[in-house]
């Protein structure tokens, strides 16, 4: 990291204004596209065709190399909304919940996880902000321990997506969503933080008093310099899946001793049978 986030050693008192830390998801918290990550299980679940997966893979490639302009992003939005038309919401949620750790864990930035913990320790709420649909973002945000999610809201009728998007949480709309949540939760945005890797999130970054760009390209880095935003480098992935508790050394030794003893007994018995 080229700049350290200010630390707080005490939680704010009840009289202090509430603040929050707003994190973009794709390529900020995770080093991939959350929507593209689930293409394989959606294929296996019968929600996507092989052709759909190929188109999604191309869109993911364009996104990852940073070449998606506003028109391409709008086409991707329209394509994804049309794909989701008729999908059973609960089936999608089940697939995402069951595969989120497997598909997302390898791509989570350790630096983002550490910052989330630091903001929580400082008494701030953590909000995940994403252009992906809520059904995709919410399980990931829950695993990260986020307090709120701001994401794209898709219309649902009789438990199925209609293909209509009620609120597209992208570009200027991210700032709109942040201000709405701030009014609801009484956040002081001047004292709040925001993190993103994308120039399209400039409105979101400008909405708070402490903005940071993550792994910026040349354009975003120039904008950060002009706006006085901090610059951070996220490089280390970390798994969120709870690790299996290590077996105590004494237990390992005990198992090994029992195993050796059993082998010695078997060997002695075999020798006796040969002599007999």
């Amino acid at each position: 990291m080229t700049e350290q986030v200010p630390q707080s050693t005490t939680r704010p008192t009840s009289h202090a204004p509430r603040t929050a830390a707003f994190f973009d998801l794709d390529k900020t918290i995770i080093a991939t596209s959350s929507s593209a990550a689930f293409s394989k299980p959606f294929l296996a679940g019968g929600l996507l065709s092989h052709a759909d997966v190929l188109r999604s893979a191309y869109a993911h490639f364009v996104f990852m190399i940073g070449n998606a302009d506003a028109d391409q992003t709008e086409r991707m939005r329209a394509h994804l909304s049309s794909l989701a038309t008729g999908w059973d919401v609960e089936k999608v949620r089940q697939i995402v919940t069951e595969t989120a750790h497997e598909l997302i864990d390898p791509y989570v930035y350790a630096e983002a996880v550490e910052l989330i913990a630091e903001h929580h320790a400082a008494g701030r709420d953590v909000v995940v902000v994403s252009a992906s649909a809520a059904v995709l973002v919410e399980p990931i945000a829950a695993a990260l321990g986020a307090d709120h999610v701001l994401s794209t809201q898709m219309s649902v009728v009789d438990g199925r997506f209609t293909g209509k998007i009620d609120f597209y949480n992208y570009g200027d709309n991210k700032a709109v969503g942040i201000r709405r949540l701030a009014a609801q939760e009484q956040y002081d945005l001047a004292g709040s933080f925001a993190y993103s890797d994308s120039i399209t999130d400039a409105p979101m970054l400008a909405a708070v008093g402490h903005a940071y760009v993550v792994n910026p390209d040349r354009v975003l880095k120039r904008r950060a310099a002009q706006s006085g935003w901090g610059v951070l480098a996220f490089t280390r992935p970390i798994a969120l899946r709870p690790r299996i508790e290590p077996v105590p050394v004494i237990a390992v030794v005990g198992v090994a001793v029992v195993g050796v003893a059993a082998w010695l007994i078997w060997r002695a018995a075999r020798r006796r049978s040969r002599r007999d």
Side-chain angles (χ1 to χ4, degrees):
M1 295 186 185
T2 59
E3 182 173 340
Q4 294 296 318
V5 176
Q7 300 295 307
S8 173
T9 56
T10 59
R11 296 182 68 87
T13 67
S14 58
H15 303 292
R18 297 187 67 206
T19 55
F22 300 92
F23 286 82
D24 171 50
L25 179 60
D26 296 354
K27 295 174 67 178
T28 299
I29 293 179
I30 59 175
T32 188
S33 161
S34 52
S35 57
F38 295 102
S39 59
K40 286 185 178 180
F42 286 169
L43 173 65
L47 299 176
L48 291 178
S49 68
H50 287 282
D52 294 330
V53 172
L54 288 175
R55 283 192 290 269
S56 297
Y58 173 73
H60 175 64
F61 171 74
V62 172
F63 170 79
M64 290 303 295
I65 63 176
N67 286 344
D69 58 22
D71 289 340
Q72 287 173 315
T73 302
E74 175 59 25
R75 286 197 296 271
M76 282 192 290
R77 180 203 65 79
H79 173 62
L80 291 174
S81 65
S82 66
L83 279 180
T85 301
W87 284 4
D88 183 280
V89 177
E90 284 308 313
K91 182 174 183 178
V92 175
R93 182 173 287 112
Q94 180 183 0
I95 290 173
V96 171
T97 301
E98 290 176 352
T99 60
H101 275 299
E102 175 188 350
L103 298 174
I104 299 300
D105 267 16
Y107 300 103
V108 177
Y109 284 124
E111 294 89 346
V113 173
E114 291 164 3
L115 275 175
I116 288 170
E118 289 171 10
H119 282 300
H120 271 151
R124 300 183 191 97
D125 281 358
V126 169
V127 184
V128 173
V129 186
S130 175
S132 293
V135 71
L136 302 182
V137 180
E138 288 169 358
I140 302 172
L144 292 163
D147 302 284
H148 297 283
V149 172
L150 294 174
S151 56
T152 291
Q153 302 299 311
M154 302 180 69
S155 176
V156 176
V157 174
D158 296 330
R160 295 182 179 275
F161 292 119
T162 66
K164 178 184 176 183
I165 293 180
D166 294 329
F167 183 80
Y168 186 32
N169 197 49
Y170 175 80
D172 290 335
N173 277 352
K174 283 192 177 182
V176 170
I178 284 173
R179 293 190 183 99
R180 285 178 182 169
L181 183 64
Q184 174 187 316
E185 298 292 330
Q186 299 184 326
Y187 294 142
D188 171 25
L189 288 180
S192 294
F193 294 71
Y195 304 86
S196 178
D197 71 290
S198 175
I199 190 64
T200 63
D201 286 342
M204 163 182 163
L205 295 168
V208 301
H210 307 283
Y212 292 83
V213 298
V214 176
N215 300 342
D217 59 18
R218 193 173 302 173
V219 174
L220 183 57
K221 197 168 187 177
R222 183 165 57 247
R223 177 63 181 273
Q226 294 168 349
S227 303
W229 299 335
V231 178
L232 302 176
F234 290 179
T235 60
R236 296 180 292 118
I238 186 173
L240 291 177
R241 185 189 296 275
R243 289 175 169 78
I244 299 174
E245 288 296 323
V247 180
V249 172
I250 189 169
V252 174
V253 173
V255 170
V257 168
V258 170
V260 171
W263 178 78
L264 289 173
I265 292 170
W266 171 84
R267 188 180 179 188
R270 189 179 181 189
R271 286 177 175 174
R272 282 196 303 270
S273 65
R274 285 178 176 175
R275 285 198 299 268
D276 295 341

